[in-house]
Amino acid sequence: MHNLAESASSSLKMETHSSRINYIVIMELLWIGTAYLFSLIVSRLYFPPLVGYLIAGYVLHIAGVQASEILTHIADIGIQLLLFTVGLKLKLRSLLRREVLSVGGLHLLIVTVISALAFLGLGGRVAGGLVLGVSLAFSSTILAVKILEDNGELSSMYGRDVLSILILQDIVAIALLAFANNNQPTPWAFCLLLIPFLRPVVYRLLNASHDDELKLLLGISLALAGGVLAQNVGISSDIGALLMGVALAGHPNINDLSDKLWGLKGTFLVAFFLQIGLTDLPGYNEVLQALALLAVLPLQGMIFFILFLFVGLRARTAFVSSLALMTYSEFALITSKTVVDAQLLPPVWESIIGLSVALSLAAAALLNNFSHNLYALLETLLVRFERKVEHPDRLPVSIGGAEWLVVGMGRTGVSAYLTFNQQDKRVLGLDADPIVLENLRAEGRRVFYGDADDTALWENLPLTKIRGIIMTMPEFGVRSSSIAQLKIRGFTGRIGTVCFHPDEEQELYRLGANFVIHPFIEAGKQLAEQMLESRNQVSL
């Protein structure tokens, strides 16, 4: 009888375990399938997919589906992978730039005061209003980085400024969360600052990882390891993942690793956006208050715009940077729960902040998709506010005696530049990445700042002196719009560019390119030709 009872108990446990696994699989299918369906619908309406993820979360909540620990865990991994990849491209010296410290610091102070006073007026306690006011001054790291990386603008001058301001906000967020929790990081927390000094070790690990699968596993392992270390010393796991990425920054193959992690982290981040809708569904009054918070969000963008102009940036850089930062941060979701749990604000604020963050992410995602078009419409008005000073993002108005331009000084662009140079041609390079420009100038190259997506670049350049332009920017939209701008301005020189997909070639020729090459196809042709040539030489 005892054996029968044990057998029955074991069988019951197996059935229960099997049922639980089946339930988890069904829920995962439900989350992913719903997210895909709504992102497909919104993409047809020219919204970015993440708006569909947010809607899917609210629809699932209405259907009675609740957020689970599994979804939360997946979302946490996605955020850690995102910040790890941010760390891979982070230059610590960029945090010390004048526009970062002054704009980021002053914006936090101004919005904190305004938000805190507003919360106090609505009956909140002083501490609660202050904490939530600061958290609403933060911008969404996840959204801004995703948009910048999708648009290929993470390494541009304005992209680096936005990223540095976001990291500055994250540093303030650590202290804020500790204050709200009444928890202090352990004394070992300072050891996290030693993570970047692990660079020789992680460099050797990456060098030893020759296979793509090993590189991907190494990236995931390092991101999670940084998160675990940070949690064990009382610091947010996101900061640990960020610092671990900083330890790898600067490696020659870092872009390859970042590209491999991009699709994976994007998939995990779907869980984060689903969570927002699944957390709670606000009532009528909460919706009105959330809409009120959304209505004052442009004020945050205006403050950013004014501060960027104050430090001497051009109107275009200030506008697109402000638009990328004009959103409420997912960090506000964490602080709102903490403040409510500490009874510093009424519980209703948790759902209000949740909806406000969701709406701001959706609105910001749409606006940033058309940021350059919006600036083109408002350019005449916005340029009036530019200061008459030396702009750090100043576009070239003179190219000296240069007759050839290379736009986009990556590996392909530098190769084209050197070829012109070796044939004693007067060539000038343009790039929007200040770090790239600094390195090339140190090598004695003649390069200027120039963002090809900025229509003012083509307006200011003396195009009649230029015989030909080579464009090597990776983004098809930037290449095609630049060619169109050149033709509008009557450029008669030759235009050469690259394409990476067959359907791009015909469009580039239609817009006015004189020749288009496929880098990978051309590489294959050259390999075969050199192989045959060397064989013929051996035969002779």
Side-chain angles (χ1 to χ4, degrees):
M1 292 291 292
H2 180 70
N3 290 338
L4 286 172
E6 283 187 349
S7 177
S9 176
S10 176
S11 177
L12 181 61
K13 287 180 180 179
M14 290 180 63
E15 288 180 6
T16 303
H17 181 67
S18 177
S19 298
R20 175 170 173 75
I21 292 177
N22 190 46
Y23 170 77
I24 292 173
V25 172
I26 292 173
M27 292 306 297
E28 289 173 343
L29 177 60
L30 183 61
W31 295 329
I32 296 171
T34 308
Y36 170 76
L37 177 63
F38 281 95
S39 63
L40 179 64
I41 293 172
V42 300
S43 66
R44 298 294 183 182
L45 301 174
Y46 301 100
F47 282 89
L50 71 85
V51 176
Y53 306 151
L54 293 169
I55 296 173
Y58 283 110
V59 170
L60 288 171
H61 184 85
I62 294 172
V65 178
Q66 298 296 321
S68 69
E69 292 182 4
I70 297 172
L71 190 67
T72 301
H73 182 61
I74 293 173
D76 289 341
I77 292 175
I79 294 172
Q80 288 179 47
L81 289 176
L82 175 71
L83 290 178
F84 174 73
T85 54
V86 168
L88 294 178
K89 299 185 177 183
L90 176 64
K91 309 295 181 186
L92 291 178
R93 58 185 171 178
S94 64
L95 286 174
L96 302 177
R97 296 176 62 191
R98 181 177 56 129
E99 53 266 32
V100 173
L101 294 175
S102 56
V103 173
L106 284 173
H107 177 269
L108 278 173
L109 178 63
I110 294 170
V111 177
T112 296
V113 171
I114 294 174
S115 301
L117 290 175
F119 278 114
L120 292 175
L122 293 171
R125 291 177 57 183
V126 174
L130 183 63
V131 171
L132 210 50
V134 175
S135 66
L136 286 177
F138 298 152
S139 305
S140 172
T141 301
I142 292 177
L143 179 71
V145 172
K146 190 174 189 303
I147 288 172
L148 288 171
E149 193 152 12
D150 283 348
N151 293 340
E153 296 174 329
L154 194 56
S155 60
S156 66
M157 178 172 286
Y158 99 85
R160 289 187 184 276
D161 284 346
V162 168
L163 178 58
S164 299
I165 289 173
L166 290 169
I167 292 171
L168 178 66
Q169 291 178 349
D170 286 340
I171 293 171
V172 176
I174 297 172
L176 178 65
L177 195 57
F179 169 79
N181 280 323
N182 289 320
N183 292 330
Q184 298 296 325
T186 70
W188 292 100
F190 292 102
C191 293
L192 287 180
L193 299 176
L194 299 177
I195 288 180
F197 292 97
L198 296 174
R199 177 165 294 180
V201 177
V202 293
Y203 267 33
R204 293 192 67 177
L205 288 173
L206 185 55
N207 290 332
S209 306
H210 300 295
D211 296 330
D212 288 346
E213 293 85 352
L214 290 178
K215 291 177 182 177
L216 184 61
L217 287 174
L218 175 64
I220 297 170
S221 300
L222 290 176
L224 297 181
V228 170
L229 286 173
Q231 280 185 320
N232 286 331
V233 296
I235 297 294
S236 169
S237 60
D238 307 340
I239 302 302
L242 177 72
L243 290 173
M244 193 63 81
V246 172
L248 259 179
H251 191 282
N253 297 326
I254 208 63
N255 289 333
D256 189 32
L257 176 60
S258 180
D259 291 341
K260 286 176 174 55
L261 286 170
W262 173 244
L264 184 64
K265 71 174 181 281
T267 303
F268 277 95
L269 283 173
V270 173
F272 170 79
F273 293 111
L274 283 173
Q275 262 195 139
I276 295 177
L278 283 168
T279 303
D280 196 10
L281 195 66
Y284 177 74
N285 290 330
E286 288 79 22
V287 170
L288 291 180
Q289 288 178 299
L291 290 173
L293 282 176
L294 186 68
V296 299
L297 191 59
L299 176 62
Q300 180 164 311
M302 289 176 61
I303 294 172
F304 268 124
F305 181 72
I306 293 169
L307 291 174
F308 277 125
L309 291 179
F310 178 74
V311 297
L313 294 183
R314 292 170 52 238
R316 180 184 181 276
T317 308
F319 179 80
V320 293
S321 300
S322 302
L323 211 56
L325 292 166
M326 195 180 74
T327 178
Y328 292 129
S329 172
E330 54 280 346
F331 180 75
L333 301 173
I334 303 171
T335 51
S336 62
K337 185 178 187 307
T338 303
V339 169
V340 168
D341 290 344
Q343 298 182 342
L344 297 175
L345 283 175
V348 69
W349 277 108
E350 197 169 348
S351 60
I352 294 172
I353 297 300
L355 182 59
S356 299
V357 170
L359 291 174
S360 74
L361 291 176
L366 178 63
L367 289 173
N368 278 275
N369 261 14
F370 301 98
S371 59
H372 300 295
N373 303 80
L374 289 172
Y375 177 75
L377 291 173
L378 300 172
E379 183 176 7
T380 305
L381 172 65
L382 297 178
V383 293
R384 297 176 183 174
F385 299 100
E386 286 184 357
R387 294 181 63 197
K388 305 301 181 184
V389 295
E390 184 72 13
H391 304 296
D393 57 340
R394 179 177 59 89
L395 294 172
V397 294
S398 173
I399 58 174
E403 296 179 332
W404 305 91
L405 289 184
V406 178
V407 187
M409 295 298 288
R411 285 176 294 184
T412 305
V414 169
S415 178
Y417 177 96
L418 292 175
T419 302
F420 278 120
N421 216 21
Q422 288 165 3
Q423 297 186 24
D424 295 324
K425 302 297 182 183
R426 289 175 288 186
V427 59
L428 175 70
L430 297 175
D431 201 280
D433 187 337
I435 304 300
V436 168
L437 295 176
E438 184 178 333
N439 293 335
L440 289 173
R441 284 168 182 162
E443 296 173 3
R445 312 300 178 199
R446 189 161 179 260
V447 291
F448 289 164
Y449 171 81
D451 186 348
D453 210 21
D454 187 349
T455 56
L457 174 67
W458 308 116
E459 291 173 357
N460 293 336
L461 286 177
L463 297 176
T464 54
K465 298 172 57 177
I466 301 170
R467 298 174 60 184
I469 299 176
I470 290 180
M471 299 183 180
T472 67
M473 303 85 76
E475 301 80 25
F476 170 70
V478 178
R479 281 178 275 127
S480 57
S481 64
S482 297
I483 294 172
Q485 288 292 330
L486 286 170
K487 290 302 178 181
I488 289 173
R489 284 161 179 76
F491 179 64
T492 57
R494 298 182 64 78
I495 300 174
T497 187
V498 295
C499 69
F500 302 97
H501 303 285
D503 56 332
E504 294 180 359
E505 183 175 6
Q506 185 177 356
E507 178 64 11
L508 291 170
Y509 275 125
R510 187 190 68 80
L511 289 169
N514 297 104
F515 59 93
V516 179
I517 67 165
H518 300 255
F520 303 117
I521 294 176
E522 293 299 321
K525 287 180 180 178
Q526 287 191 31
L527 283 172
E529 289 171 359
Q530 291 186 25
M531 184 71 73
L532 292 171
E533 183 179 343
S534 62
R535 182 180 176 183
N536 291 335
Q537 290 175 353
V538 171
S539 299
L540 293 173

